[in-house]
Amino acid sequence: MVGARFGDYELDAAEGTITVSDLDCVFGLSNLAQTCRLADPEDWRLLVYSHITRLDDFAPAALAELMSDCERVRDDLRVRVVSQHHVAHIDPVADPLPLGLYACLSVDLDGAAMPVDRGYFDGWGVDHDEVMAAAVANSLGADKLAVTESCELSGRFTVLAGESLFATAHLLDLAGSLPDVGPKGAVVTVPTAREVMVCAVDPPEDFESDGPAMLAASYARFLMGPNSVTSNALWWRPGEPLEGFARLDHGGFELVAPPELREHLGLATAKNAERSRGEGIDL
């Protein structure tokens, strides 16, 4: 189908990507695979066709004109929290976040997320921080998060859901969504592009049971997708930079929380956490 519509292409089955020569574009297939897995097989052909035709939005000539000036796309600038996998084949405008995540400057192309390449951005002659701040504000304004019920596992934690691929931009400014969380903040995850899971660290005795429940639910959502982001967890506090809490992307559980949070929660020492790798989610 790709060849018939766009000509020469190269499929990398290991990476799950298609490179279309004429478009100078690398097209990921992981989200399509996750979407099809959740759909009736009778609908797969239409889903694949609709997904691939989105490449029309990335035609080089049209993109070059659209991206020639920051003002052309300013209202459509967004920030999308992504993993290393999403930025491996491009030179994106992005700010690094803990545990292999990035806040990636993007353009909303009628629901499709196009990362802003450094080549386009350098031609704009604008300030990086100013543009990122505007993109975050656009993202928060365009996609409000709503609290949903968690039915996967018992536990008192919050699942915040949005409608777009940019909902996880709220991770960069969660204060408005978590007015009742105290100064010690919360452990947060972004299993998919449309979800942020939150578990307050106060009181610590509740977190002892609620934290593992949230991490397990988040891991299940990450595996299911679609639009999976990360299985790792971060520590968020009002007015403070994000820090790592736990890694789950290496086939096991590794506690990486800073000493301040470990002490507050009475968690294992770094040495004990090292021994816990591969033994499941157990705080």
Side-chain angles (χ1 to χ4, degrees):
M1 188 178 293
V2 173
R5 189 175 184 90
F6 300 107
D8 293 340
Y9 70 92
E10 181 179 344
L11 172 65
D12 187 329
E15 289 289 330
T17 60
I18 288 179
T19 301
V20 181
S21 301
D22 289 347
L23 298 182
D24 191 24
C25 175
V26 179
F27 195 53
L29 297 175
S30 59
N31 291 336
L32 175 60
Q34 290 177 328
T35 300
C36 287
R37 186 176 61 187
L38 298 174
D40 191 312
E42 294 182 357
D43 297 328
W44 286 0
R45 183 175 179 83
L46 179 59
L47 288 170
V48 171
Y49 178 81
S50 299
H51 195 72
I52 289 175
T53 54
R54 293 310 303 270
L55 280 172
D56 290 334
D57 296 332
F58 296 87
L63 281 182
E65 181 179 358
L66 176 67
M67 302 294 290
S68 63
D69 190 313
C70 182
E71 293 306 315
R72 286 178 177 264
V73 294
R74 183 174 290 275
D75 291 344
D76 295 318
L77 288 176
R78 301 286 188 271
V79 166
R80 184 184 182 193
V81 174
V82 298
S83 66
Q84 173 64 37
H85 175 74
H86 288 85
V87 298
H89 300 282
I90 58 177
D91 184 16
V93 178
D95 291 333
L97 301 173
L99 300 184
L101 293 176
Y102 295 85
C104 185
L105 183 66
S106 306
V107 176
D108 182 0
L109 292 180
D110 192 25
M114 188 193 79
V116 176
D117 188 87
R118 177 68 57 181
Y120 291 127
F121 184 83
D122 289 346
W124 289 353
V126 295
D127 180 75
H128 175 98
D129 292 342
E130 178 183 337
V131 171
M132 290 295 289
V136 170
N138 287 348
S139 302
L140 302 188
D143 195 353
K144 303 295 185 183
L145 296 183
V147 176
T148 65
E149 294 294 328
S150 173
C151 59
E152 293 158 277
L153 289 172
S154 61
R156 289 166 292 186
F157 56 89
T158 301
V159 182
L160 301 170
E163 297 182 354
S164 78
L165 295 174
F166 312 102
T168 49
H170 284 266
L171 185 65
L172 307 176
D173 190 0
L174 270 175
S177 301
L178 304 175
D180 299 325
V181 172
K184 288 294 184 182
V187 171
V188 297
T189 65
V190 283
T192 72
R194 293 178 169 86
E195 294 171 304
V196 179
M197 292 189 177
V198 180
C199 187
V201 299
D202 278 326
E205 55 269 23
D206 288 348
F207 184 83
E208 184 176 354
S209 60
D210 299 339
M214 185 194 74
L215 293 181
S218 177
Y219 191 75
R221 289 293 300 124
F222 167 76
L223 293 178
M224 182 180 299
N227 302 114
S228 297
V229 178
T230 184
S231 56
N232 296 330
L234 306 175
W235 181 29
W236 173 86
R237 288 172 292 169
E240 299 290 339
L242 290 164
E243 297 188 64
F245 176 75
R247 298 196 71 107
L248 292 88
D249 59 354
H250 291 160
F253 177 87
E254 179 189 2
L255 183 67
V256 297
E260 176 187 351
L261 183 57
R262 292 172 189 258
E263 182 178 356
H264 177 73
L265 295 174
L267 297 179
T269 65
K271 183 176 180 180
N272 290 336
E274 181 74 18
R275 289 202 301 264
S276 73
R277 292 189 191 184
E279 297 177 0
I281 299 173
D282 184 3
L283 300 183

